[in-house]
Amino acid sequence: THNDPEQRKKGMELARKMIRAARLLGTENLLVVPGAVYVPWLEGVEPVPNGVCDRRAKEAIRKLLPEAEQAGVYLNIENIFASGYLFSPQEMIDFVDSFQNPHVQIHFDTGNLMQYQFPEHWIPLLGKRIKNVHVKEYSKQVHEFNLHTFRPLLDGSTDWPAVLEALDKVGYRGHLTFEY
């Protein structure tokens, strides 16, 4: 969703290579960050207006879908708050459902929303759309969003019994991958 068309073109080329790599590796799941309004750790990058970001992200996913379907790969959209995009479960649902395609699902990351929200609140809403889960701790003791806010597993404020119960209730039976 970058403002520079050449950067967007490069992003699409990389996404297509990732789809091919997933197929060759025999995995059906590909984590996709569909766009960003602003990424705080990238210096000198002009912010993208929210509406423009949304339009560009949807256009990009629509272009990638035929190749993903042919490869048998799911484009699993990740919730990354630092991107300034898809801040709520409702926005994530609207984005994923807009494609009306089973090859667009959700890669849910427990830690990426912990600054202001709670994963056990998102999971019942996202439901069967969740295709992958990253488990990650988030420390609410650090008052700015940076890499130091993410902590070793069981070191933060995540209510893991509530998260696991919510995943169970929506029928999630996939892997829980720890990210640190």
Side-chain angles (χ1 to χ4, degrees):
T1 58
H2 199 284
N3 285 321
D4 179 352
E6 287 301 312
Q7 290 291 326
R8 291 196 307 273
K9 181 179 174 183
K10 182 178 178 181
M12 290 297 288
E13 289 170 7
L14 290 171
R16 286 187 172 97
K17 286 180 181 181
M18 292 184 329
I19 290 169
R20 286 192 290 277
R23 181 184 51 78
L24 290 170
L25 292 170
T27 185
E28 64 180 14
N29 293 303
L30 181 61
L31 183 158
V32 177
V33 178
V37 170
Y38 174 72
V39 180
W41 57 83
L42 295 178
E43 294 181 20
V45 177
E46 178 184 334
V48 178
N50 293 66
V52 173
C53 178
D54 189 58
R55 179 179 49 79
R56 288 177 182 165
K58 287 176 179 174
E59 285 172 4
I61 296 298
R62 278 190 195 95
K63 287 178 184 175
L64 294 170
L65 256 173
E67 191 167 343
E69 288 175 306
Q70 185 176 10
V73 172
Y74 292 87
L75 303 176
N76 299 325
I77 309 303
E78 186 176 23
N79 55 302
I80 296 186
F81 267 27
S83 72
Y85 184 52
L86 304 176
F87 272 137
S88 73
Q90 292 81 6
E91 288 174 302
M92 182 69 88
I93 290 166
D94 289 346
F95 183 84
V96 169
D97 288 357
S98 74
F99 300 99
Q100 298 181 343
N101 188 305
H103 283 269
V104 181
Q105 298 291 321
I106 292 174
H107 176 96
F108 184 66
D109 189 312
T110 62
N112 284 352
L113 55 88
M114 290 285 296
Q115 185 174 16
Y116 300 110
Q117 299 185 41
F118 301 88
E120 64 270 24
H121 298 169
W122 278 53
I123 293 166
L125 298 171
L126 302 180
K128 296 285 187 191
R129 296 170 190 87
I130 299 173
K131 186 83 168 122
N132 294 88
V133 177
H134 263 156
V135 294
K136 182 165 58 187
E137 284 284 1
Y138 180 88
S139 172
K140 293 189 181 217
Q141 304 304 311
V142 179
H143 297 290
E144 72 177 66
F145 187 83
N146 61 46
L147 294 178
H148 300 293
T149 60
F150 298 110
R151 311 301 310 148
L153 198 58
L154 305 176
D155 186 35
S157 58
T158 305
D159 184 349
W160 290 113
V163 168
L164 294 175
E165 181 180 349
L167 287 168
D168 188 51
K169 283 183 178 178
V170 300
Y172 182 75
R173 298 293 180 264
H175 294 285
L176 300 177
T177 305
F178 175 59
E179 178 188 17
Y180 182 67

